[in-house]
Structures are given as structure tokens and as C-alpha cells.
Amino acid sequence: MFVIEDELKRLPEKPGVYLMKNDLGQIIYVGKAINLKNRVRQYFQSSKNHSIKVKKMVQHIVSFEYIITRSEVEALVLECNLIKKYDPKYNIRLKDDKQYPYIKINTQDAFPRMRVVRQMKKDGAKYFGPYTDAAAMWEVVDIIKNTWPLRTCTRNLPKDIGKERACLNYHIGKCNAPCTGLIDEQAYGEMIEEVISFLNGKYKEVIKKLQADMIVASESLQFEKAAQLRDQIQAVMKLEQKQNATMSSMLDQDVIAFAKSPQDTLVQVYFVRKGKMVGREHFYLKDTEDEVIEEVFRDFIVQFYANATFIPKEIVIERIPNEKEVLESYLAEKKGSKVQLITPVKGTKHGLMELASKNAELTLGQFGDQMKKEQERTEGALAQLQEAIGLEKLPYRMEAYDISNTQGVQSVGGMVVFEGGKPKKSDYRKFKIKSIQGPNDYGSLEEVLDRRFNRLKEEQEENSFSKMPDLLMMDGGKGQVSVAEKMLEKYGLAIPVCGMVKDDRHRTRGLLFQGEEIVLPSGSEGFKLITRLQDEVHRFSIEYHKKLRSKAQVQSLLDEIKGVGKERKKIILQHFKSIEHLRQASLSDIEQVPGIPADVASNIYNYFHRN
């Protein structure tokens, strides 16, 4: 039995992290201390100096555990990771479900591609971002595509060099065709370095090079190429001009200000790169009425920069946060060089901070109520759902499943994920049924769940399959729920399962849980959430089914045409996108497809125009 008084005596006088637990064994608070013995004992001493939040929390603490670290900075990092992992009730939590895009270039490849991704991994690649303004990011991507002929194919190079002919991008001047050996690794690498320089904001270097190339092209009478380079120069210059200069220096900075309502706090961040403001973002922190702003800033900085790809040398902040020196050490350790937290009282930096502060006030006034209503709508719906089916904790992550087929043909499964009452589309997954033949929805669902839970057990990296859901929702009734319970038992998992039951008009009626049908009021937020979830999983799975069915129909037609094999079929599908577009194409259109000889083009045209 855990006796708090006895355990307090055993606490070490060392730095570390402590985890407070309630009577269900749930972690309700995570904190760090330079001296665990002194810090943890304070919670259980006289409460007259405690805040209201701490008083409430202490009432629910029945046990605690701790982890010793080598330093206070190490404890800070561990605290941040544990807060993200357990989402404790009494910690300030930076909940931001936006997944901002990054531009990724894997420089470890011989011939790297440029890709837009939503998640940063420790894979040795270079990531640029995150971009809070997606439109601005796609503008950058378009400039790069039009300026540097990078490959976009997924061929395994240099292994596959010379195995296939160059694709359409080569013929239209969008790629230098490394797949055919027309550009070597060194020359391609130099081009990648230019792209990286551009993404790092060194526009003047890029413009200078493009201008030199334009002069060479012009002098050698390559006027078309010179005109293309001129257009590229103008695009880069236009992008540079759009980013208004905010400072005469060339500093990289983040400027952080705040606005506070009686209950919540809005934090505004300005991103300044090379002396230019490139973007801004705001973050809404709930239930901070009992927190001092210095503590809010401290928690915000730790969590905001935990996964940042870039940390500037200077962070301008409206209030000096608690543990400023520890935070600077933490940021310096992540960046690999010195980082300063400063609070200016005059000058340009102070003016910029005031601008951020005024914008925070405006944003709070304009969007604060709206954001809070949205949070209450989604979290209120989850609370109603929790109460209706008697769950121990809020079902923050819900996974819903549906099967779609046409008389057993092209059976597929769909998995959609809602987190915090909102769709998390990056975690959606499709399943092509492999082991079941014919119209067997129960067997298909069993295969889908078997594959999903097997991945849950085996996954090493964090992704959609590695996350444990709080609630499973089956599109169907008793049969579908029984299949889910059978697979949970197979893998030794304890996850609540509900069936989403429909009425005679195929509309959401209620939930089936532990053999009983639960009906929520049709106008309640909980009922609306179930309806959205059921409609979404049905839409997602049926769209995948239609796509496969359409593709199969196209392929079966092309199989009948003389001269069209596996590779040519792939080329045709990629070029025309659909059978209807191919049917409407002229003979000349088909003959212009790279890799399709004239006699085969004639066979294709005649097949669709026999009548």
C-alpha cells in the first residue's frame, strides 16, 4: 500500500521529474524539480500559499512516482516529453492539432527529390518549415519546380539508371533525366545545394546565379532559355519583396507576446528570418486563470520548441519566464549554439514586440470566443459521449471502421480517426481486403482489425498504427461489435467498442454498447459527433472502393487491346487519368504519349471507336 507520508521521507535530494496520480492510477500532473525532496513535499504542506489549481489537484493525489535525472535541463526535457505522452489534467498543455507542412529534401539519396510532408522524422533528411502559411509554401514549391529541374519520380537511382526511357517531365524541360544518365550525381548535387540555399532564404545568391546563367544563354543565342531564366528571376524577386523587412539587421528571431482573458491566454508568435517577418501564429491556452503569465510562458516555450526544426539565436519575449537560465540552456542544447531570451524596453525590438502584443489582443477579441466555443463544442460532445456510455476517461482518440464492396467485389476497409472531436486525416488508413472472397463483411472487418492491432503491437516508430485509441466505433450493430471484441481479446487489448446503429432511412440512430442501445438526444453535440464520425468513415471507405473498382474496369478494358502490356497500361493510366478521357482522345493525342508506338496508339484508338 502506498503511504504518502512514508514515501515523502524516501525522496532523494536530486533533480528529476515527479508524476502525481489519482485513485485510478491516472497521471494528473507532471512536474520537474532541481531538488525532488523539497519540491514534492511542498504540495502536502500548509495549503494557505497554494493556488486554487494546486489545492484542487492535491485533493486527488493518492500516489506519486519520480524519475531522477542528471541535471535540471535533462529534467525539463523529460517533463516536456511526459506531458505530451500522458496529457495530464492539471498541466498547461499546448494543444495545437494543426500539422503544418514541411519541405523535405533527403540529401542522403544520390539524386534527392523535393517533397512536402506533414511529419518530421529523424531520418537524416533536411526539413524546411514548418510553414504556417500553406499558400506561401506552395508558392515556394512552384518557384523551385520552375527554376530547378529536379526529378519527381520514385525510381531507385542510381540502381535503375538506364532501365527505362525518360518520362514526360524530361521532354517538357522539367527534369534533367538522371534516370537515363543525362546528368551525373555531382552536377545534380550542385543543383540541390542551390535549392537548399534558396530555402534558407539566400535569395540574393540565387538571383545572382540565375542572372549569370541568363547572360550566358543570351550570348549563346538561346533566347528561349534566357526568357525562362528571366521569368524565374522575377518570381524569386517577387517572393523576396512580399516578405516585408522589419529590422535593419539580418537577425533570425521569434517574437512572443500574449493577451489574457479572465479564463484563458492567447500567445502570439512572430517569425522573423534574416530581418524579415515571414509569418505569425497564435495559440489558445485554456483554463489559465489560476496561472501567472511567467509560468505560462515557461511552459509554452518548452512545448513549442520541443519539436522545432529551427530555433533562432534570439527570442524576444514580452515577459521574462520562470527559470529563464534553464530555458536558455535547454534551447541552446537543442540548437547547438547560444540562444538568448530577451525582453526589450525600447528600440526596434520593443516596437515589434508591442506590435505582436496588440495583434494578440485583437486576435483574442476577434477569435477568442469563437475558438472557445469550438473547443466547448468538440470537448462537450466528447464529455456527453463519455457520460452516455460510462467511460472512465474522455475518449480523446476515436477510431471508426467500415467495409465497402459491390456484391463482394473489390472489398476494402476504411479507418478514420477523430482526435479531440475533430477529424485527423493524416491518421486515416485504407485496407485492401486480401484473405476474404465474396460478400463477407464480418470476415473483411476481422482481417482489417487483425492487421490494425498487429501493427499496434509491432510498430516501432510513432504513426497512426502505433497509437492506442480510447474508443473503437464500428459502422454497424451487434455483429460488427462482436468481431471487434474477438480481435481485441486475441491481442489482449482492453478498448471500449461501440456500434453505430442506423435507422430504416440509413441515418444515425444511436450507439450499441455492451449489448444495449444508447440513444443520445438528436440535437445534442454528442449525437452530432457520432453522425459526423459515421458519415466520414462511410464516405472514406466507399471512395476507396469506387477508386479501385474504376481502376479495375479501366485495366480490364486495356487488357483486351493488342500491344498494351503492364508498363504501357501504367503509362496510359497516368497520362489520361480516366477511361472517359482516353475514349475522348484523338489518335494524335494517343500517339503523343511517351512510350506508346504508333501501331499501338492506332489499336487503342480503334478499340474505342469500333462503332
Side-chain angles (χ1 to χ4, degrees):
M1 183 178 176
F2 192 96
V3 180
I4 289 178
E5 290 76 13
D6 294 341
E7 295 300 325
L8 288 173
K9 296 174 184 176
R10 298 191 183 102
L11 283 165
E13 295 182 3
K14 293 183 178 181
V17 173
Y18 55 91
L19 301 90
M20 301 299 194
K21 297 182 179 182
N22 62 12
D23 56 350
L24 297 174
Q26 297 170 334
I27 295 169
I28 59 175
Y29 186 76
V30 175
K32 77 138 188 70
I34 193 167
N35 185 315
L36 282 167
K37 191 179 191 73
N38 293 343
R39 184 71 187 95
V40 177
R41 288 176 66 182
Q42 287 175 1
Y43 287 99
F44 303 97
Q45 293 171 352
S46 174
S47 63
K48 63 180 180 180
N49 294 324
H50 289 169
S51 66
I52 296 171
K53 185 184 83 170
V54 171
K55 289 176 183 176
K56 287 180 181 178
M57 181 183 75
V58 171
Q59 292 173 6
H60 297 285
I61 298 173
V62 297
S63 66
F64 60 81
E65 61 178 275
Y66 56 88
I67 302 167
I68 296 172
T69 59
R70 290 171 296 183
S71 67
E72 194 176 4
V73 173
E74 192 176 300
L76 190 71
V77 175
L78 181 58
E79 177 197 27
C80 177
N81 293 335
L82 292 175
I83 289 172
K84 284 195 292 183
K85 181 177 181 180
Y86 294 113
D87 194 16
K89 180 178 179 179
Y90 291 99
N91 281 98
I92 295 174
R93 182 76 169 92
L94 176 58
K95 286 187 179 179
D96 183 26
D97 56 2
K98 308 183 194 80
Q99 284 194 298
Y100 296 118
Y102 298 83
I103 293 175
K104 174 182 177 181
I105 298 177
N106 192 349
T107 51
Q108 295 180 323
D109 292 342
F111 297 92
R113 294 184 295 145
M114 176 184 67
R115 295 170 58 205
V116 173
V117 297
R118 292 272 174 181
Q119 196 172 35
M120 187 179 66
K121 298 179 180 178
K122 292 182 179 179
D123 54 4
K126 288 186 179 293
Y127 290 85
F128 302 89
Y131 290 89
T132 56
D133 185 343
M137 183 211 66
W138 286 113
E139 189 176 358
V140 170
V141 169
D142 286 341
I143 288 173
I144 292 171
K145 285 181 176 179
N146 292 326
T147 307
W148 292 276
L150 302 179
R151 75 181 184 105
T152 58
C153 67
T154 57
R155 294 173 184 174
N156 186 4
L157 303 182
K159 183 181 177 181
D160 292 340
I161 289 179
K163 290 186 178 180
E164 297 182 54
R165 285 180 289 182
C167 67
L168 181 63
N169 278 350
Y170 166 70
H171 295 288
I172 62 175
K174 295 287 187 181
C175 177
N176 282 341
C179 58
T180 62
L182 292 178
I183 182 172
D184 60 29
E185 193 172 330
Q186 182 179 347
Y188 192 93
E190 290 172 358
M191 189 164 59
I192 287 293
E193 287 301 318
E194 291 173 7
V195 173
I196 290 172
S197 181
F198 173 73
L199 287 169
N200 282 326
K202 298 176 182 176
Y203 301 138
K204 284 184 171 55
E205 294 178 15
V206 175
I207 292 169
K208 189 176 179 181
K209 182 198 174 294
L210 291 175
Q211 286 173 335
D213 291 344
M214 182 178 68
I215 292 169
V216 171
S218 180
E219 288 176 348
S220 58
L221 306 182
Q222 294 177 294
F223 300 117
E224 189 175 334
K225 183 180 178 182
Q228 185 181 13
L229 288 164
R230 177 203 63 204
D231 294 342
Q232 292 168 2
I233 291 167
Q234 290 175 351
V236 176
M237 291 175 72
K238 181 183 175 184
L239 181 68
E240 184 182 30
Q241 289 165 4
K242 282 181 73 175
Q243 297 173 338
N244 298 322
T246 55
M247 300 186 68
S248 56
S249 67
M250 296 296 286
L251 283 174
D252 292 328
Q253 295 175 316
D254 286 348
V255 182
I256 306 176
F258 76 99
K260 217 172 183 312
S261 71
Q263 293 81 28
D264 310 311
T265 304
L266 186 137
V267 178
Q268 184 99 29
V269 185
Y270 275 18
F271 306 103
V272 179
R273 301 293 178 262
K274 306 297 179 187
K276 297 168 186 174
M277 195 175 80
V278 297
R280 69 172 186 178
E281 192 52 64
H282 58 261
F283 301 86
Y284 198 71
L285 307 176
K286 274 188 70 181
D287 302 325
T288 57
E289 70 273 19
D290 199 32
E291 301 285 351
V292 294
I293 195 62
E294 290 78 8
E295 186 68 18
V296 172
F297 268 133
R298 178 260 191 207
D299 290 350
F300 175 82
I301 288 169
V302 173
Q303 295 180 48
F304 181 70
Y305 291 105
N307 296 315
T309 55
F310 178 80
I311 299 174
K313 289 183 179 180
E314 195 171 87
I315 298 172
V316 179
I317 195 158
E318 192 172 359
R319 292 284 181 89
I320 297 174
N322 287 349
E323 302 177 316
K324 176 176 176 283
E325 292 77 14
V326 178
L327 287 174
E328 287 179 333
S329 299
Y330 162 72
L331 295 169
E333 194 172 288
K334 287 184 67 65
K335 182 177 176 62
S337 60
K338 187 178 179 181
V339 177
Q340 281 188 303
L341 293 169
I342 64 169
T343 306
V345 293
K346 60 181 180 179
T348 308
K349 294 174 185 177
H350 178 70
L352 190 59
M353 188 186 68
E354 280 197 325
L355 180 64
S357 180
K358 286 176 183 176
N359 272 282
E361 291 284 356
L362 289 170
T363 306
L364 182 64
Q366 186 178 1
F367 299 113
D369 291 341
Q370 179 185 332
M371 287 189 285
K372 189 164 185 182
K373 283 177 183 176
E374 174 64 17
Q375 286 182 331
E376 287 173 354
R377 185 177 73 88
T378 53
E379 292 179 11
L382 292 175
Q384 289 176 13
L385 196 56
Q386 178 188 12
E387 184 180 357
I389 57 182
L391 297 178
E392 289 184 354
K393 66 174 184 175
L394 207 68
Y396 179 75
R397 182 182 174 91
M398 298 189 291
E399 292 181 1
Y401 294 85
D402 189 21
I403 302 297
S404 182
N405 59 65
T406 303
Q407 296 180 342
V409 177
Q410 295 292 348
S411 283
V412 301
M415 162 184 151
V416 307
V417 178
F418 274 37
E419 284 193 354
K422 298 178 184 178
K424 189 176 184 184
K425 296 194 175 183
S426 61
D427 280 7
Y428 286 16
R429 292 295 181 267
K430 303 169 184 174
F431 299 84
K432 196 173 181 180
I433 304 303
K434 301 174 182 177
S435 64
I436 303 298
Q437 299 296 324
N440 184 348
D441 284 2
Y442 293 158
S444 298
L445 181 60
E446 184 172 323
E447 180 190 319
V448 167
L449 294 174
D450 192 18
R451 286 160 61 183
R452 190 270 176 269
F453 295 140
N454 186 54
R455 292 286 295 272
L456 176 66
K457 293 287 187 181
E458 292 185 350
E459 286 297 313
Q460 300 297 320
E461 292 186 6
E462 185 175 326
N463 58 39
S464 181
F465 289 124
S466 67
K467 299 172 184 176
M468 179 80 80
D470 300 313
L471 181 64
L472 294 177
M473 304 287 266
M474 302 295 119
D475 187 21
K478 187 176 179 181
Q480 284 83 356
V481 171
S482 297
V483 170
E485 289 173 341
K486 174 185 172 184
M487 299 316 297
L488 288 169
E489 185 177 353
K490 175 182 175 180
Y491 286 92
L493 298 171
I495 305 172
V497 185
C498 286
M500 296 181 287
V501 186
K502 293 182 178 179
D503 61 19
D504 295 337
R505 296 184 181 181
H506 216 63
R507 297 179 304 188
T508 304
R509 188 177 76 202
L511 292 175
L512 185 70
F513 182 65
Q514 295 180 347
E516 294 184 12
E517 186 169 330
I518 297 165
V519 179
L520 284 81
S522 59
S524 67
E525 295 297 344
F527 181 84
K528 291 175 185 176
L529 175 60
I530 298 166
T531 304
R532 289 197 300 272
L533 189 59
Q534 190 168 30
D535 290 347
E536 179 69 355
V537 71
H538 182 69
R539 176 202 64 78
F540 183 65
S541 57
I542 204 167
E543 277 186 4
Y544 182 44
H545 166 64
K546 286 178 179 178
K547 182 179 178 182
L548 290 184
R549 190 175 63 187
S550 174
K551 188 176 180 182
Q553 288 171 346
V554 173
Q555 289 179 332
S556 62
L557 285 172
L558 295 178
D559 285 336
E560 299 176 18
I561 303 172
K562 184 179 179 181
V564 179
K566 181 181 176 182
E567 289 303 317
R568 285 174 181 166
K569 191 190 303 181
K570 185 178 177 182
I571 291 169
I572 292 164
L573 289 173
Q574 286 177 340
H575 186 85
F576 289 104
K577 307 300 182 187
S578 73
I579 195 70
E580 191 55 38
H581 289 157
L582 179 59
R583 192 191 305 276
Q584 294 172 5
S586 66
L587 177 59
S588 176
D589 292 335
I590 302 171
E591 286 176 338
Q592 289 177 20
V593 178
I596 304 299
D599 59 331
V600 176
S602 180
N603 292 342
I604 296 169
Y605 181 80
N606 291 335
Y607 178 84
F608 288 106
H609 296 82
R610 288 179 294 191
N611 298 326

